[in-house]
Amino acid sequence: MSDSDFTSAIRAGVSKAEWEQRVNLAACYRLVALFGWDDLIFTHISARVPGSEHHFLINPYGMMFDEITASHLVKVDLEGNKVMDSPSPINPAGFTIHSAIHAARADAGCVLHLHSVNGVAVSAQAGGVLPISQHSIFVLSSLAYHDYEGVALNDDEKPRLVRDLGDKRFLMLRNHGLLTVGDSIADAFVSMYFFETTCMIQVRAQAGGELIHVGPHIVEGAATQWQQVTKGAGGGLAWPGLLRKLDRLDPGFRS
């Protein structure tokens, strides 16, 4: 079967809403690669399939993030079992973290997990995220931490992961990396942009002199300020521009 025939077959077998979700998730993978946040094939971004079923889209294991297209994405259930025929393998162990959060959080439309260099660096610092930048105050307004328990392969870690995340939007996995939860793929990606940028600023600032910390009263008001700045749209404001950027570079993610 040719690539175009494969794409046509997948598109014909899913709803319009699911296809749109597939396009957005493929775009998210491409953007992670474009921003240099990927770790070869070893992290995952999952998104809930619109509808009443508890089905999710995830990357085919072994494919580089800049190769992923809408039709490549694999549809699975909460146990990581395929629910739609696909020639591509998945990494069930890689879905451990994601399935726990999707099951516990009705608002988890997308779960984005990275091993970005700056993020892992800050995750190894005892002080975690410091209030030293404007970016950081938005992260700190909804940040949780989860201690490292080894490679996330065991289901018995799930309750502790869910407990530590609570209702937060940002999760720092100690000695491991970063994770964001969003109602939409757009929100999860823009949240990750702020998370990773916060960590990059912190690592660079620590190479200089004494750091100036933002006052706690400003951090406390950051969530309200974020709503005012974005008019409640969150990632929706930046996402259309990011899609246009990808279309200019390579619109192949849409196939």
Side-chain angles (χ1 to χ4, degrees):
M1 181 182 292
S2 68
D3 289 345
S4 60
D5 288 342
F6 177 71
T7 298
S8 297
I10 296 295
R11 189 164 189 172
V14 303
S15 67
K16 181 179 179 181
E18 179 177 332
W19 183 255
E20 182 178 354
Q21 189 79 324
R22 284 173 171 268
V23 169
N24 282 316
L25 185 55
C28 191
Y29 276 103
R30 296 286 184 107
L31 286 164
V32 165
L34 182 63
F35 280 74
W37 302 337
D38 50 342
D39 181 21
L40 298 179
I41 62 169
F42 297 112
T43 59
H44 303 276
I45 313 166
S46 59
R48 188 184 302 274
V49 176
S52 58
E53 303 92 350
H54 293 292
H55 293 163
F56 308 87
L57 299 170
I58 198 164
N59 53 311
Y61 197 45
M63 187 168 276
M64 301 294 283
F65 284 17
D66 63 355
E67 298 177 305
I68 292 176
T69 71
S71 54
H72 282 137
L73 294 163
V74 183
K75 184 156 61 171
V76 298
D77 60 21
L78 269 174
E79 284 70 50
N81 301 308
K82 294 182 186 179
V83 295
M84 183 176 181
D85 287 339
S86 170
S88 301
I90 67 160
N91 179 14
F95 195 53
T96 299
I97 292 173
H98 296 253
S99 61
I101 296 171
H102 282 299
R105 293 271 298 266
D107 63 330
C110 179
V111 178
L112 202 172
H113 169 46
L114 300 179
H115 301 156
S116 61
V117 174
N118 297 299
V120 175
V122 174
S123 78
Q125 296 178 5
V129 174
L130 302 177
I132 60 171
S133 67
Q134 180 165 280
H135 287 76
S136 72
I137 67 172
F138 298 121
V139 173
L140 288 165
S141 70
S142 188
L143 175 63
Y145 294 87
H146 176 67
D147 287 338
Y148 189 61
E149 299 187 23
V151 178
L153 301 176
N154 301 317
D155 283 347
D156 66 1
E157 185 179 356
K158 288 183 177 182
R160 294 183 292 278
L161 182 75
V162 169
R163 176 202 65 203
D164 291 343
L165 174 63
D167 63 353
K168 305 299 186 183
R169 188 166 70 253
F170 302 93
L171 179 65
M172 179 159 276
L173 299 159
R174 291 291 195 178
N175 308 100
H176 184 176
L178 308 179
L179 183 145
T180 59
V181 179
D183 291 333
S184 67
I185 294 165
D187 283 344
F189 180 84
V190 171
S191 291
M192 185 59 75
Y193 172 83
F194 274 83
F195 208 177
E196 165 59 20
T197 302
T198 290
C199 293
M200 179 170 62
I201 291 169
Q202 181 166 320
V203 169
R204 292 187 182 187
Q206 288 169 327
E210 184 178 355
L211 301 178
I212 301 171
H213 284 216
V214 175
H217 66 288
I218 296 177
V219 175
E220 290 170 5
T224 300
Q225 290 179 332
W226 175 254
Q227 290 295 315
Q228 292 172 342
V229 169
T230 66
K231 299 179 173 58
L237 281 175
W239 192 249
L242 289 165
L243 294 182
R244 292 194 299 272
K245 183 179 184 71
L246 282 181
D247 281 330
R248 289 193 299 272
L249 295 171
D250 179 5
F253 70 95
R254 296 183 179 274
S255 63

